[in-house]
Structures are given as C-alpha cells and as structure tokens.
Amino acid sequence: MSSKVNKVSEAVIKRLPIYHRSLTDVIENGVERISSSELSELTGFTASQIRQDLNNFGGFGQQGYGYKAVDLRAQIDKILGMDHTYNTIIIGAGRLGSAIANYSEFRENGFNIQALFDVDPEKIGKEIDSFPVISGDRLEEYIETFNIDVAIVTVPREYATDVIDRLIKCNIKGIWNFAPIVISAPENVVIENIRLNDSLLSLSYHLKEKFFKEVE
Amino acid sequence: MSSKVNKVSEAVIKRLPIYHRSLTDVIENGVERISSSELSELTGFTASQIRQDLNNFGGFGQQGYGYKAVDLRAQIDKILGMDHTYNTIIIGAGRLGSAIANYSEFRENGFNIQALFDVDPEKIGKEIDSFPVISGDRLEEYIETFNIDVAIVTVPREYATDVIDRLIKCNIKGIWNFAPIVISAPENVVIENIRLNDSLLSLSYHLKEKFFKEVE
C-alpha cells in the first residue's frame, strides 16, 4: 500500500485534530472500526466531508466496513507531525506559563518542555513542575546550546514584541504565541497564535446580539 | 448622523478585535486620526479591506482625513458589546482557572468575575485574587442567585461534558470553553471555544512540513 500523502489543504489540517480527538475517545472505549457516519455524529462534520477529508491520505476506508480506528489515528499522527519531538521552552513563568508547563497534552504531542524563562529574580533559580526557571538574559545562549525548536510565549503584551524579535534572531523554528500582538514573521519561522482576547470579544459580540440587543 | 449598524458578517466580527487593539495602541500613543493605510500597516489587512469593513458601521472615515481613532474605537466597542457587563464565574480553580482570574483584560472587556468553582476540598473556602473558591455542588444555586451570565470552563476534559450540561440546564447565557470537547449547544447559549490542543497540532503540522519533511 502506498503511504504517499497528497498536499493537504489548510481547512483539512484544522479538522484533523478533531478527528484525532474523536478517534482517541473511541479507541479508549475499545472500538476497532468506525464509519464516516459515526465520525460525523462525534465531530459534527458531515459524513461526506469526512470521507472526502480522509481520502487525502490514501485508500483507508473500505466501503461498508468503515475505518480501522487505530490505523487511521496513526496516519493522522504522522500527518500532524506527532511522530516528531520538539525541544520546547516557555517564556514567562507566571500563571499562564505555569499552567502550560503543567499541561500533559504537550508531552503526548511531542513538545518536550525543557525550561521556563523569566525576568523576576524571585522566580529565577527555582523550579516549576521540576522544570528550571532561567533568567531571560540567558535565552539566546540556551536556545543554541540545547537545540531548542519551539518557544511558547506567555509574557505580558508589553514585552512580547521584544521577546519574539529575540527568538526570531536565534532562528527558533516555531513560536506558540499567547500575547495579543500582531507579528510579522519571516518565512523561516512557524507562528501559531492563541488569541484569548479576540475570542473573548467574539463571545461578547454574540452575547450582545442574542441577549442584549436594543430594540431599534 | 444615523447610528444604525448593518448586519455584520462573521468574518468582519473576527477582524474587529484586531482593529480595536491597534486603535488602542495608537490612542495610547496620542494619535488622533488614522488612515486606512496606517491601519493596514498595523493589522496586516489591506487598506481596501479595512475601508470595506468599517463602512459597515456608517459614515465614519472622511476621504483624505482618515478615521478619528477615539470615535472609531467607541463604535467598535459598541458593536462588540463592550459597553455591557457580564457577571462571570470560572469553573476550575487550577492553574488555568487562576491564570484567567488574574487576566486584567476581562474587567476591561466587561466580564466581571465573581467567583471560582472547584471540587477540591483543599481549595474550597479559600480565595484566589480575592475571588472566593466555592464548592461545585453550589453551582446551580449560585448562578440563579447572582444572575450569572457567563461561565469560563477550565476543568479537565473528563469533567467538562458534565459541567457544560449543568450550565446549559441553568440557562447560562455564555460559555467560554477551554476543554477539548465537542459541544452540541442549544440555540439559547453562546459558546466560544479555545482549542489549545488543536492549535498545538497545527503548529506541529507546520513545523513538520517546513523543517522535518522526509524526502520522498
């Protein structure tokens, strides 16, 4: 069987984690085979959308037999790069940084956290979840010495631009950014943003529309 | 001048927080008027996209004079529902819940946090950032008594479905959900999800594509 994978669109990539999560759920419940209509019920996507998405990865499903859950998940793992490991640091040892250090999905997804960085002398030299907290001054040196692939940025907004500039200069490969800033990134860095504030404003908008709309 | 606002598309709504953030930046720096091309440089959207988006809110910009930053931001505030306040609770007093309780943008955006809820007897009765931590058993009673509009769900995945079912039964208006679960929500609840894990897998995918792609 060919393991060749076609170029997959961004929209499919966004749905893969959702398939992955549903497959993990059913595998944990002992399910061996799953049909596109069962996946449809779990994910909310239509069965035809699911079949079309999964067709991208070669001849998986068998008409009338459904997908073998373990094999399909392994294939998705591979496509999502979950068979790789990434040396990862967290910038900012505040509550958000600590919450992320504690987040078990990282290790499962191959993001191996090595250390946290902070500028607060009270935190430097201590440990959070057995990860050392290191002075921000040593960021560049550490990234080079320990071949760090990915940095998770949890510093307050006012420091974020400077931190991200420094990371880009060190040739970091990936940045998972929680700071509410607009980043113009060079080609050779992958940046993924979590926009908490934008999400909150979207919630606010929809609440207003549904519940607090003035009669005009 | 008419304050009538046309029905705004979801795509525009997603861009409004970004305009809002850029306007706040320039207002803090003493800027009074801003042109669509200046906004374009700050946000990364094209000037024509920006003019088209802002046209939705009536006759704001003046050809050749740009937008009055304070007025434009006030209009966006209104559209996003930031002139409302929402009584808010946090479910889960772990690190993520605590990080969120500490997040100053909430109050600025009108989400007034009242309390955190947890099932851990070690946490119940204590305070986090001067907010009380209350037993999860009292959730329904508290929501009714204190007219809670919004719940922020930060509990581990295995408890999330149950918590969200209970919130929906209490007629909560809005849920900001951090748990990696698929929710089928009734019409009368606004749900906004933060998908940390999906974002991480997207980062992983793009890292693999850019840096670790096997030669085929």
Side-chain angles (χ1 to χ4, degrees), chain B residues 20-161:
Chain B
H20 192 273
R21 203 189 309 136
S22 298
L23 287 167
T24 301
D25 280 347
V26 301
I27 290 165
E28 277 169 11
N29 289 323
V31 170
E32 286 187 11
R33 284 187 170 276
I34 187 162
S35 67
S36 50
S37 48
E38 286 162 327
L39 266 173
S40 168
E41 239 168 82
L42 292 169
T43 60
F45 306 129
T46 66
S48 103
Q49 174 78 79
I50 290 166
R51 282 192 298 270
Q52 199 184 314
D53 285 354
L54 300 183
N55 269 344
N56 281 298
F57 323 138
F60 251 89
Q62 230 184 315
Q63 191 82 44
Y65 290 88
Y67 302 95
K68 245 195 121 185
V70 170
D71 291 356
L72 181 57
R73 189 181 58 170
Q75 182 76 347
I76 293 177
D77 274 356
K78 207 179 151 199
I79 293 162
L80 290 175
M82 291 169 77
D83 50 347
H84 282 276
T85 56
Y86 308 101
N87 290 330
T88 303
I89 55 174
I90 298 175
I91 326 271
R95 291 194 202 186
L96 182 59
S98 309
I100 292 172
N102 187 231
Y103 189 63
S104 68
E105 264 89 354
F106 284 112
R107 259 146 297 178
E108 290 164 27
N109 291 340
F111 292 86
N112 289 331
I113 294 177
Q114 312 283 329
L116 293 92
F117 286 79
D118 208 289
V119 290
D120 181 354
E122 292 287 312
K123 289 177 183 161
I124 294 166
K126 304 230 167 74
E127 289 193 347
I128 291 178
D129 279 331
S130 80
F131 302 118
V133 180
I134 300 174
S135 164
D137 297 339
R138 295 188 43 211
L139 186 62
E140 285 82 358
E141 166 213 327
Y142 190 95
I143 289 174
E144 205 189 324
T145 311
F146 294 98
N147 289 309
I148 299 301
D149 301 304
V150 172
I152 303 173
V153 176
T154 73
V155 300
R157 182 181 181 173
E158 56 268 38
Y159 305 113
T161 308

Side-chain angles (χ1 to χ4, degrees), chain A residues 48-148:
Chain A
S48 105
Q49 174 77 78
I50 290 166
R51 284 193 297 271
Q52 197 185 316
D53 285 353
L54 300 182
N55 269 345
N56 281 298
F57 324 138
F60 251 87
Q62 229 183 317
Q63 191 80 46
Y65 290 88
Y67 302 95
K68 242 193 124 189
V70 170
D71 291 354
L72 181 57
R73 189 181 58 168
Q75 183 76 348
I76 293 176
D77 274 356
K78 208 180 150 201
I79 294 162
L80 290 176
M82 291 170 75
D83 50 346
H84 282 276
T85 56
Y86 307 101
N87 290 330
T88 302
I89 55 174
I90 298 175
I91 326 271
R95 292 194 202 183
L96 182 58
S98 309
I100 291 173
N102 186 232
Y103 189 62
S104 68
E105 264 89 354
F106 284 112
R107 258 145 299 178
E108 289 163 28
N109 292 339
F111 292 86
N112 288 331
I113 293 176
Q114 312 284 327
L116 293 92
F117 287 79
D118 209 290
V119 291
D120 181 353
E122 292 286 313
K123 290 177 183 161
I124 295 165
K126 304 230 167 73
E127 289 192 349
I128 290 177
D129 278 330
S130 80
F131 303 118
V133 180
I134 299 174
S135 164
D137 296 339
R138 293 188 44 209
L139 185 61
E140 285 82 358
E141 166 213 328
Y142 190 95
I143 289 175
E144 205 189 321
T145 311
F146 295 98
N147 289 311
I148 298 303

